[in-house]
């Protein structure tokens, strides 16, 4: 699937799965290639609250994102917060529902094009570039705070029983602080938007290995979700892979460096799946 802005073309693919333990899928993803906008939301709340919250957040983002700038993306996330908050206060069954959100959009910035990445909560955006996987966003979670102040190692955080506790959430209060990151688009770079159901089950080297092997973003997204299910599937899992395939010549043909190995079946080149 392809979306084309003035200069940057993006290919994308997305997948979501309920996992092995939960009875419903409260994750949601948004793909609006016509707006160069993608998002993942991980809802929480009793009854149907979590599903409603992530759905309203994604719908509102798509409707509200008209000013295609960094500020326009922040504003759309703020409007999503308001929409979820109002739905929660209007309906006693849904009171207290909320959702994470991580959104990526190609936007205009000072006469150039940048990728704006906004987040609230612990859904993540990773960048895979030059064979390296890096987390772009900062988690708003209890364990991330504990790692930052040195009381927990990243290894301890990964298995901490309270690793699901978020410290910032969309839709629970009438306003929410939104983090935003702006990065230059480079041909060949890949972005992964995901809920915690991915990174709590699949170690980052295994995520990177899939991105290295699978050139088609839909194939990569599906395989990442499948790995998380096989790794335990204790939560809903959602993955959107967005590839920068052209940046107007600033990094021509870098995507050619990606291995094209989308053939089905086990790959000889990758590490074993986590079990
Ligand atoms: Mn989750």
């Amino acid at each position: 699937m392809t979306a084309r802005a003035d200069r940057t073309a993006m290919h994308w693919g997305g997948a979501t799965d309920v996992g092995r333990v939960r009875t419903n899928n409260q994750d949601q993803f948004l793909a609006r290639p016509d707006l160069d906008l993608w998002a993942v939301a991980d809802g929480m709340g009793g009854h149907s609250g979590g599903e409603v919250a992530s759905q309203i957040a994604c719908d509102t983002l798509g409707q509200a994102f008209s000013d295609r700038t960094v500020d326009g993306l922040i504003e759309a996330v703020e409007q999503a917060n308001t929409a979820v908050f109002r739905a929660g206060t209007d309906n006693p069954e849904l009171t207290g529902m909320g959702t994470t959100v991580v959104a990526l959009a190609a936007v205009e910035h000072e006469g150039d094009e940048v990728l704006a990445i906004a987040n609230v909560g612990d859904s993540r955006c990773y960048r895979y570039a030059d064979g390296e996987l890096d987390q772009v966003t900062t988690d708003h979670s209890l364990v991330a705070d504990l790692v930052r102040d040195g009381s927990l190692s990243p290894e301890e955080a990964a298995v901490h029983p309270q690793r699901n506790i978020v410290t910032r959430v969309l839709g629970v209060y009438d306003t929410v602080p939104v983090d935003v990151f702006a990065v230059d688009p480079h041909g060949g770079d890949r972005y992964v938007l995901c809920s915690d159901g991915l990174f709590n089950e699949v170690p980052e080297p295994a995520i990177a290995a899939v991105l290295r092997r699978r050139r088609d973003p839909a194939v990569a997204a599906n395989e990442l979700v499948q790995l998380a299910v096989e790794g335990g599937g204790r939560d809903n899992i959602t993955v959107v892979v967005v590839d920068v395939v052209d940046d107007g010549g600033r990094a021509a043909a870098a995507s050619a460096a990606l291995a094209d190995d989308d053939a089905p079946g086990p790959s000889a080149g990758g590490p074993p799946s986590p079990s």
Side-chain angles (χ1 to χ4, degrees):
M1 285 162 273
T2 306
R4 179 168 287 281
D6 286 348
R7 291 180 299 273
T8 304
M10 317 277 265
H11 286 179
W12 72 278
T16 186
D17 194 280
V18 67
R20 287 183 158 168
V21 174
R22 305 284 175 93
T23 53
N24 56 349
N25 193 346
Q26 303 189 320
D27 284 4
Q28 195 78 231
F29 73 83
L30 172 74
R32 288 291 303 271
D34 56 317
L35 295 172
D36 286 318
L37 171 69
W38 292 267
V40 164
D42 177 349
M44 53 207 75
H47 302 282
S48 58
E51 283 160 277
V52 175
S54 58
Q55 181 75 59
I56 293 173
C58 285
D59 290 351
T60 306
L61 258 184
Q63 287 155 16
F65 183 61
S66 53
D67 171 21
R68 291 165 73 169
T69 63
V70 175
D71 286 345
L73 182 64
I74 297 172
E75 211 163 282
V77 174
E78 289 171 345
Q79 287 194 38
N81 182 76
T82 303
V84 175
F85 178 71
R86 284 198 183 138
T89 47
D90 286 352
N91 186 337
E93 284 246 305
L94 302 177
T95 298
M97 70 175 174
T99 183
T100 71
V101 71
V102 58
L104 177 150
V107 301
E108 191 72 20
H109 184 66
E110 293 171 355
D112 216 334
E113 191 175 51
V114 300
L115 301 178
I117 294 145
N119 82 299
V120 174
D122 67 351
S123 295
R124 289 182 179 171
C125 175
Y126 290 99
R127 176 177 52 200
Y128 179 76
D130 304 321
E132 299 283 334
L133 187 73
D134 291 301
Q135 187 179 338
V136 177
T137 49
T138 303
D139 297 346
H140 304 131
S141 69
L142 178 69
V143 290
D145 287 350
L146 294 174
V147 170
R148 260 193 299 280
D149 74 18
S151 36
L152 218 58
S153 72
E155 293 72 26
E156 289 167 331
V159 296
H160 197 279
Q162 290 179 303
R163 65 185 179 277
N164 291 325
I165 294 179
V166 291
T167 51
R168 228 191 264 183
V169 62
L170 196 92
V172 173
Y173 301 101
D174 59 349
T175 61
V176 71
V178 180
D179 283 359
V180 70
F181 307 84
V183 292
D184 287 326
H186 290 289
D189 288 359
R190 318 191 79 178
Y191 289 82
V192 177
L193 308 179
C194 64
S195 61
D196 62 340
L198 175 69
F199 57 81
N200 283 333
E201 302 291 10
V202 185
E204 288 176 5
I207 297 174
V210 170
L211 296 168
R212 190 171 302 124
R213 285 202 310 275
R214 302 302 188 196
R215 184 170 179 174
D216 182 324
V219 172
N222 268 308
E223 186 165 320
L224 287 169
V225 167
Q226 211 44 53
L227 275 182
V229 172
E230 288 162 14
R234 286 164 289 185
D235 194 1
N236 307 146
I237 309 123
T238 302
V239 176
V240 175
V241 175
V242 180
D243 291 343
V244 181
V245 293
D246 173 49
D247 64 353
R250 278 170 291 181
S255 63
L258 282 168
D260 191 359
D261 181 20
D262 288 337
S267 165
S273 300
S275 57

